[in-house]
mmCIF file of all heavy atoms in Angstrom:
data_model
loop_
_atom_site.group_PDB
_atom_site.id
_atom_site.type_symbol
_atom_site.label_atom_id
_atom_site.label_comp_id
_atom_site.label_asym_id
_atom_site.label_seq_id
_atom_site.Cartn_x
_atom_site.Cartn_y
_atom_site.Cartn_z
ATOM 1 N N MET H 1 -45.198 -118.700 114.904
ATOM 2 C CA MET H 1 -45.863 -119.982 114.856
ATOM 3 C C MET H 1 -46.012 -120.627 116.231
ATOM 4 O O MET H 1 -47.000 -121.147 116.585
ATOM 5 C CB MET H 1 -45.115 -120.934 113.913
ATOM 6 C CG MET H 1 -45.753 -122.263 113.678
ATOM 7 S SD MET H 1 -47.297 -122.101 112.813
ATOM 8 C CE MET H 1 -47.867 -123.795 112.768
ATOM 9 N N LEU H 45 -42.672 -139.587 95.022
ATOM 10 C CA LEU H 45 -41.404 -139.911 94.456
ATOM 11 C C LEU H 45 -40.658 -140.949 95.290
ATOM 12 O O LEU H 45 -40.004 -141.862 94.665
ATOM 13 C CB LEU H 45 -40.565 -138.629 94.308
ATOM 14 C CG LEU H 45 -40.933 -137.678 93.129
ATOM 15 C CD1 LEU H 45 -40.122 -136.447 93.223
ATOM 16 C CD2 LEU H 45 -40.707 -138.349 91.770
ATOM 17 N N ASN H 81 -27.484 -152.972 91.414
ATOM 18 C CA ASN H 81 -27.224 -152.859 92.859
ATOM 19 C C ASN H 81 -26.560 -151.562 93.214
ATOM 20 O O ASN H 81 -26.903 -150.953 94.206
ATOM 21 C CB ASN H 81 -26.309 -154.034 93.328
ATOM 22 C CG ASN H 81 -27.109 -155.383 93.576
ATOM 23 O OD1 ASN H 81 -28.288 -155.267 93.893
ATOM 24 N ND2 ASN H 81 -26.448 -156.511 93.509
ATOM 25 N N ALA H 85 -28.104 -148.714 95.588
ATOM 26 C CA ALA H 85 -27.456 -148.326 96.773
ATOM 27 C C ALA H 85 -27.013 -146.844 96.810
ATOM 28 O O ALA H 85 -27.058 -146.284 97.933
ATOM 29 C CB ALA H 85 -26.210 -149.201 96.917
ATOM 30 N N LEU H 99 -40.982 -137.342 106.563
ATOM 31 C CA LEU H 99 -42.343 -136.909 106.157
ATOM 32 C C LEU H 99 -43.383 -137.360 107.198
ATOM 33 O O LEU H 99 -44.416 -136.699 107.406
ATOM 34 C CB LEU H 99 -42.599 -137.414 104.764
ATOM 35 C CG LEU H 99 -41.784 -136.859 103.626
ATOM 36 C CD1 LEU H 99 -42.029 -137.652 102.304
ATOM 37 C CD2 LEU H 99 -42.005 -135.381 103.452
ATOM 38 N N THR H 109 -51.133 -129.295 114.470
ATOM 39 C CA THR H 109 -51.353 -127.909 114.226
ATOM 40 C C THR H 109 -52.756 -127.660 113.665
ATOM 41 O O THR H 109 -53.457 -126.698 114.028
ATOM 42 C CB THR H 109 -50.338 -127.320 113.212
ATOM 43 O OG1 THR H 109 -49.018 -127.634 113.761
ATOM 44 C CG2 THR H 109 -50.480 -125.867 112.987
ATOM 45 N N ARG H 110 -53.207 -128.526 112.757
ATOM 46 C CA ARG H 110 -54.469 -128.345 112.181
ATOM 47 C C ARG H 110 -55.598 -128.520 113.199
ATOM 48 O O ARG H 110 -56.569 -127.731 113.287
ATOM 49 C CB ARG H 110 -54.730 -129.462 111.091
ATOM 50 C CG ARG H 110 -55.980 -129.291 110.326
ATOM 51 C CD ARG H 110 -56.306 -130.593 109.573
ATOM 52 N NE ARG H 110 -56.734 -131.666 110.510
ATOM 53 C CZ ARG H 110 -56.478 -132.954 110.264
ATOM 54 N NH1 ARG H 110 -55.890 -133.353 109.163
ATOM 55 N NH2 ARG H 110 -56.879 -133.823 111.199
ATOM 56 N N THR H 121 -56.650 -134.007 120.616
ATOM 57 C CA THR H 121 -55.628 -134.157 119.622
ATOM 58 C C THR H 121 -54.733 -135.354 119.932
ATOM 59 O O THR H 121 -54.437 -136.161 119.012
ATOM 60 C CB THR H 121 -54.776 -132.942 119.437
ATOM 61 O OG1 THR H 121 -55.562 -131.784 119.239
ATOM 62 C CG2 THR H 121 -53.737 -133.065 118.408
ATOM 63 N N TRP H 131 -54.029 -147.720 114.572
ATOM 64 C CA TRP H 131 -54.614 -148.295 113.356
ATOM 65 C C TRP H 131 -53.471 -148.469 112.330
ATOM 66 O O TRP H 131 -53.573 -149.463 111.549
ATOM 67 C CB TRP H 131 -55.668 -147.374 112.798
ATOM 68 C CG TRP H 131 -57.026 -147.650 113.400
ATOM 69 C CD1 TRP H 131 -57.722 -146.787 114.225
ATOM 70 C CD2 TRP H 131 -57.742 -148.850 113.325
ATOM 71 N NE1 TRP H 131 -58.929 -147.381 114.644
ATOM 72 C CE2 TRP H 131 -58.937 -148.643 114.153
ATOM 73 C CE3 TRP H 131 -57.597 -150.049 112.716
ATOM 74 C CZ2 TRP H 131 -59.911 -149.622 114.241
ATOM 75 C CZ3 TRP H 131 -58.559 -151.085 112.943
ATOM 76 C CH2 TRP H 131 -59.716 -150.826 113.609
ATOM 77 N N PHE H 135 -52.772 -152.001 110.372
ATOM 78 C CA PHE H 135 -52.581 -152.113 108.944
ATOM 79 C C PHE H 135 -51.249 -152.798 108.680
ATOM 80 O O PHE H 135 -51.117 -153.613 107.751
ATOM 81 C CB PHE H 135 -52.587 -150.772 108.314
ATOM 82 C CG PHE H 135 -53.932 -150.234 107.874
ATOM 83 C CD1 PHE H 135 -54.923 -150.037 108.830
ATOM 84 C CD2 PHE H 135 -54.271 -149.941 106.573
ATOM 85 C CE1 PHE H 135 -56.186 -149.563 108.456
ATOM 86 C CE2 PHE H 135 -55.508 -149.554 106.160
ATOM 87 C CZ PHE H 135 -56.522 -149.340 107.148
ATOM 88 N N PRO H 151 -43.920 -150.649 112.386
ATOM 89 C CA PRO H 151 -42.854 -149.964 113.025
ATOM 90 C C PRO H 151 -43.042 -148.432 113.145
ATOM 91 O O PRO H 151 -42.799 -147.780 114.153
ATOM 92 C CB PRO H 151 -41.569 -150.279 112.227
ATOM 93 C CG PRO H 151 -41.871 -151.600 111.650
ATOM 94 C CD PRO H 151 -43.350 -151.623 111.364
ATOM 95 N N LEU H 157 -46.217 -143.531 118.245
ATOM 96 C CA LEU H 157 -46.672 -143.443 119.608
ATOM 97 C C LEU H 157 -45.644 -142.708 120.466
ATOM 98 O O LEU H 157 -45.989 -141.952 121.381
ATOM 99 C CB LEU H 157 -47.018 -144.845 120.141
ATOM 100 C CG LEU H 157 -48.198 -145.546 119.522
ATOM 101 C CD1 LEU H 157 -48.345 -146.915 120.117
ATOM 102 C CD2 LEU H 157 -49.525 -144.769 119.730
ATOM 103 N N ILE H 163 -44.000 -134.587 120.752
ATOM 104 C CA ILE H 163 -44.518 -133.656 119.724
ATOM 105 C C ILE H 163 -44.630 -132.267 120.264
ATOM 106 O O ILE H 163 -44.535 -131.304 119.534
ATOM 107 C CB ILE H 163 -45.796 -134.124 119.139
ATOM 108 C CG1 ILE H 163 -46.112 -133.472 117.802
ATOM 109 C CG2 ILE H 163 -46.946 -134.001 120.137
ATOM 110 C CD1 ILE H 163 -47.169 -134.138 116.944
ATOM 111 N N SER H 166 -39.735 -129.141 123.728
ATOM 112 C CA SER H 166 -38.981 -127.955 123.337
ATOM 113 C C SER H 166 -37.985 -128.319 122.231
ATOM 114 O O SER H 166 -37.601 -129.577 122.101
ATOM 115 C CB SER H 166 -38.188 -127.364 124.477
ATOM 116 O OG SER H 166 -37.236 -128.284 124.963
ATOM 117 N N GLY H 179 -27.290 -141.283 116.182
ATOM 118 C CA GLY H 179 -26.155 -142.171 116.500
ATOM 119 C C GLY H 179 -26.615 -143.615 116.488
ATOM 120 O O GLY H 179 -25.851 -144.452 115.974
ATOM 121 N N LEU H 193 -19.889 -162.278 107.802
ATOM 122 C CA LEU H 193 -19.879 -163.263 108.857
ATOM 123 C C LEU H 193 -20.942 -164.348 108.573
ATOM 124 O O LEU H 193 -20.735 -165.520 108.691
ATOM 125 C CB LEU H 193 -20.197 -162.596 110.231
ATOM 126 C CG LEU H 193 -20.381 -163.537 111.446
ATOM 127 C CD1 LEU H 193 -19.089 -164.290 111.689
ATOM 128 C CD2 LEU H 193 -20.715 -162.762 112.671
ATOM 129 N N GLY H 199 -23.142 -171.954 104.181
ATOM 130 C CA GLY H 199 -23.052 -171.577 102.807
ATOM 131 C C GLY H 199 -23.550 -170.225 102.487
ATOM 132 O O GLY H 199 -23.704 -169.862 101.323
ATOM 133 N N GLY H 224 -44.146 -164.585 112.286
ATOM 134 C CA GLY H 224 -43.000 -164.612 113.163
ATOM 135 C C GLY H 224 -41.998 -163.550 112.860
ATOM 136 O O GLY H 224 -41.450 -162.846 113.733
ATOM 137 N N ILE H 274 -27.203 -134.178 99.398
ATOM 138 C CA ILE H 274 -27.055 -135.090 98.300
ATOM 139 C C ILE H 274 -25.644 -135.471 97.994
ATOM 140 O O ILE H 274 -25.244 -136.629 97.761
ATOM 141 C CB ILE H 274 -27.773 -134.537 97.044
ATOM 142 C CG1 ILE H 274 -29.246 -134.410 97.397
ATOM 143 C CG2 ILE H 274 -27.546 -135.456 95.876
ATOM 144 C CD1 ILE H 274 -30.057 -133.720 96.268
ATOM 145 N N PRO H 300 -19.013 -153.839 108.290
ATOM 146 C CA PRO H 300 -19.951 -153.076 109.091
ATOM 147 C C PRO H 300 -19.693 -151.539 109.150
ATOM 148 O O PRO H 300 -20.579 -150.835 109.172
ATOM 149 C CB PRO H 300 -19.775 -153.685 110.566
ATOM 150 C CG PRO H 300 -19.333 -155.088 110.243
ATOM 151 C CD PRO H 300 -18.417 -154.955 109.026
ATOM 152 N N ARG H 327 -42.462 -123.909 95.817
ATOM 153 C CA ARG H 327 -42.379 -122.484 95.797
ATOM 154 C C ARG H 327 -43.570 -121.777 95.013
ATOM 155 O O ARG H 327 -43.788 -120.674 95.117
ATOM 156 C CB ARG H 327 -41.037 -122.075 95.146
ATOM 157 C CG ARG H 327 -39.815 -122.439 96.006
ATOM 158 C CD ARG H 327 -38.495 -122.005 95.410
ATOM 159 N NE ARG H 327 -38.454 -120.535 95.381
ATOM 160 C CZ ARG H 327 -37.486 -119.851 94.770
ATOM 161 N NH1 ARG H 327 -36.523 -120.500 94.114
ATOM 162 N NH2 ARG H 327 -37.462 -118.539 94.729
ATOM 163 N N LEU H 341 -50.048 -139.362 93.749
ATOM 164 C CA LEU H 341 -49.613 -140.608 94.330
ATOM 165 C C LEU H 341 -49.270 -140.430 95.781
ATOM 166 O O LEU H 341 -49.506 -141.321 96.649
ATOM 167 C CB LEU H 341 -48.428 -141.222 93.525
ATOM 168 C CG LEU H 341 -47.855 -142.582 94.050
ATOM 169 C CD1 LEU H 341 -48.937 -143.650 94.145
ATOM 170 C CD2 LEU H 341 -46.695 -143.003 93.159
ATOM 171 N N ASP H 369 -36.795 -167.036 92.080
ATOM 172 C CA ASP H 369 -35.555 -167.715 91.896
ATOM 173 C C ASP H 369 -35.089 -167.786 90.464
ATOM 174 O O ASP H 369 -34.224 -168.575 90.116
ATOM 175 C CB ASP H 369 -35.628 -169.115 92.565
ATOM 176 C CG ASP H 369 -36.614 -170.027 91.852
ATOM 177 O OD1 ASP H 369 -37.452 -169.533 91.107
ATOM 178 O OD2 ASP H 369 -36.568 -171.242 92.118
ATOM 179 N N ALA H 380 -40.113 -153.601 89.574
ATOM 180 C CA ALA H 380 -40.407 -152.557 90.672
ATOM 181 C C ALA H 380 -40.731 -151.283 90.023
ATOM 182 O O ALA H 380 -41.661 -150.580 90.493
ATOM 183 C CB ALA H 380 -39.220 -152.457 91.528
ATOM 184 N N ILE H 382 -41.832 -150.606 87.016
ATOM 185 C CA ILE H 382 -43.172 -150.724 86.244
ATOM 186 C C ILE H 382 -44.322 -150.685 87.255
ATOM 187 O O ILE H 382 -45.367 -150.031 87.041
ATOM 188 C CB ILE H 382 -43.204 -152.034 85.410
ATOM 189 C CG1 ILE H 382 -42.183 -151.911 84.245
ATOM 190 C CG2 ILE H 382 -44.550 -152.298 84.874
ATOM 191 C CD1 ILE H 382 -42.035 -153.209 83.504
ATOM 192 N N THR H 387 -48.834 -147.690 89.823
ATOM 193 C CA THR H 387 -49.545 -146.958 90.974
ATOM 194 C C THR H 387 -49.649 -145.509 90.677
ATOM 195 O O THR H 387 -50.638 -144.850 91.108
ATOM 196 C CB THR H 387 -48.778 -147.260 92.288
ATOM 197 O OG1 THR H 387 -47.427 -146.708 92.196
ATOM 198 C CG2 THR H 387 -48.739 -148.713 92.620
ATOM 199 N N ALA H 396 -58.592 -137.901 89.040
ATOM 200 C CA ALA H 396 -59.475 -137.399 87.963
ATOM 201 C C ALA H 396 -60.937 -137.476 88.470
ATOM 202 O O ALA H 396 -61.760 -136.634 88.021
ATOM 203 C CB ALA H 396 -59.237 -138.098 86.666
#
Side-chain angles (χ1 to χ4, degrees):
M1 183 65 180
L45 286 172
N81 276 335
L99 296 170
T109 304
R110 185 196 72 209
T121 303
W131 276 114
F135 272 61
L157 294 176
I163 198 166
S166 67
L193 177 61
I274 295 174
R327 295 181 65 187
L341 178 56
D369 63 345
I382 292 170
T387 60

